[in-house]
Amino acid sequence: MKPFFVIGTRPEIIKTAPVIREFEDKRGIRCFLLHTGQHYSETMSNAFFEDMDLRAPDMNLNIGSGSHSEQTAKALIGIEKALLKEKPDIVLVQGDTNAVLSAAIAAVKLHIPVGHIEAGLRSYDQRMPEEHNRRLTDHASKFLFAPTERSAEILRGENVWGEIFVTGNTVIDALEMRLPAAMKAPLPPIAEKLGEFVLLTLHRAENVDDKATLQGLIRGLGEIGVDIVFPAHPRTVARLKRFGMTKMVEETGKIHIIEPVGYLSFLRMMKECMFVLTDSGGIQEEVTSPSINKRVFVLRTSTERPEAVESGHAMVVGVDPTKFPTMIKREIERGLDADRPCPYGRGDASKRIADILTERLP
Ligand code: UD1
Ligand code: UDP
């Protein structure tokens, strides 16, 4: 059996690592690992192979940054060439990035089955490039690994062609696998100095590419009245510079921007923080792990992770600065600690995926 994995960005490295290790380390099945190179900065790519204890990719297409079509097309051509050479039994992708869509298209055109890890998520927000990527990939896939029964139900409702399996989310596997090492990792100096802090990430295109929305978010975040440590995605740093907003962030006196941190430091911060503010997808899932169990306020108008809302971890607070600071302050007053169930599985999603594929493929 020859699995062919395609990854392109930070979260794909994290969430795919436990699946690759399940094949290679536990079953002795060598995988081909192609990195499209969509993420390429040391702090967005290499650092994660180290932190996930994952071997280097077999190939890097170095596609870099660009428009959606540029990234998708460059990756499509490179992946096709690699597939023709490697002749794998299956192409495995995770999530909803441009790398995922490119790999799915390249594979189905060559009649190679696609397995989609984290299938069936829907935000129903058509502004999001990820919503198109995940929908198209789900409909091109032969194996759909839905993290929850709810996402499986969405796929059934859309009459996808492939077979649906509920597996849990591999993010829980990754987190449980690396948390012991994370607890020995240093906290970034500013987090150490503050002692009590809130963790923020912000990078969604619909939030940071629009000046008025980004201004509103910074203003509102400054009004919550808590110290916020913000490992900022390069996209957000670039937009803050382009919109001349770096000073505005400093003037809040509350938002402390740092470079993106590796996975181990990030997990440690997630474990130690008061609560999380984010527009990330993966972070909404990670906070639900029983080892973390934190509240997360989702700075978006929708979420494709409603399970985390139902479990009591997440609250979608929107991006309106006249509303979200008050909503968050009210929740802080009510108290943030509670027992909550994890909706994303028990940390065995990777094993289930590998079991299903080894049973069904030659
Ligand atoms: C991509 C994914 C998004 C995912 C995110 C994970 C798509 C459509 N978007 O968004 O779903 O949540 O990755 O973090 O696939 N940049 C660097 N160094 C890097 C990478 C990016 O400086 O290593 C900067 C460049 O200015 C680039 C910008 O960030 O133009 C955006 O990068 P890009 O990969 O296009 O999208 P992300 O916002 O990272
Ligand atoms: N993350 C990290 N360092 C950071 C910010 C995020 O290790 O500075 C991790 C985080 O733990 C999660 C993943 O990156 O596993 C989320 O990636 P991102 O928010 O970029 O993408 P999304 O999940 O929204 O697609």
Side-chain angles (χ1 to χ4, degrees), residues 86-119:
E86 296 298 322
K87 301 189 175 43
D89 300 307
I90 180 145
V91 171
L92 286 159
V93 290
Q94 191 287 327
D96 50 25
T97 66
N98 289 339
V100 171
L101 179 62
S102 302
I105 298 171
V108 288
K109 299 278 183 189
L110 293 173
H111 309 292
I112 301 168
V114 176
H116 188 197
I117 302 168
E118 202 178 273

Side-chain angles (χ1 to χ4, degrees), residues 11 16 55 69 88 99 125 154 157 182 188 220 263 272 349:
T16 303
R55 67 177 178 83
S69 292
D125 182 345
I154 289 174
Y263 187 58
E272 311 271 336

Side-chain angles (χ1 to χ4, degrees), residues 11 38-41 65 71 97-98 130 203-204 233-235:
Q38 179 173 339
H39 282 182
Y40 47 86
S41 300
S65 303
Q71 285 183 332
T97 66
N98 289 339
E130 293 85 0
H203 77 283
R204 290 256 92 79
H233 188 292
R235 175 184 208 108

Side-chain angles (χ1 to χ4, degrees), residues 9-29:
T9 67
R10 162 169 84 182
E12 293 162 85
I13 304 170
I14 295 166
K15 290 173 163 181
T16 303
V19 193
I20 296 172
R21 293 185 54 169
E22 190 65 42
F23 277 110
E24 296 198 335
D25 301 352
K26 306 232 171 95
R27 291 152 207 256
I29 298 171

